[in-house]
Amino acid sequence: MRWRSLTGHSAPVRAVAWAQTKASCTCFPAGTDSTVQVWDLTAGRSAGNFVTRPRVIYLATSVDGKYFSAGTLDNVVSIYDAVSRRVVSCTQMPNEM
């Protein structure tokens, strides 16, 4: 096993999610710098980044790694298309959650 250091955030990482298929493994770290980096761990390179809403504290991915969701402290959940690099939806959740 070879260890790799993932760089790119200018502030601490607070959440991480990943997706693994037979062909690839993708990592999605979210930093307090309001970005989610996308890492193709199979190739060992960055696959880009997304500017997100501030204070991402939860991340989840689709099984194939094509989509990820980010939840923030202000109760907003956003879904991103990691392939086309677009926001699919953005929903304000109730404060009771």
Side-chain angles (χ1 to χ4, degrees):
M1 176 185 282
R2 196 170 113 202
W3 292 94
R4 295 185 177 138
S5 177
L6 306 179
T7 60
H9 285 288
S10 61
V13 170
R14 297 289 184 206
V16 177
W18 64 89
Q20 185 170 359
T21 66
K22 290 181 180 180
S24 67
C25 185
T26 307
C27 180
F28 300 83
T32 56
D33 57 0
S34 299
T35 66
V36 172
Q37 305 288 326
V38 181
W39 285 92
D40 179 341
L41 298 180
T42 305
R45 63 178 174 78
S46 172
N49 64 18
F50 290 80
V51 176
T52 62
R53 294 180 58 83
R55 303 175 297 181
V56 170
I57 55 172
Y58 299 109
L59 283 174
T61 66
S62 61
V63 174
D64 59 9
K66 292 181 180 178
Y67 298 93
F68 71 93
S69 63
T72 61
L73 277 176
D74 59 354
N75 294 334
V76 173
V77 176
S78 301
I79 299 174
Y80 299 86
D81 183 326
V83 176
S84 70
R85 305 181 50 79
R86 296 181 184 195
V87 177
V88 175
S89 73
C90 189
T91 305
Q92 176 72 50
M93 304 304 287
N95 287 334
E96 298 85 44
M97 295 191 76

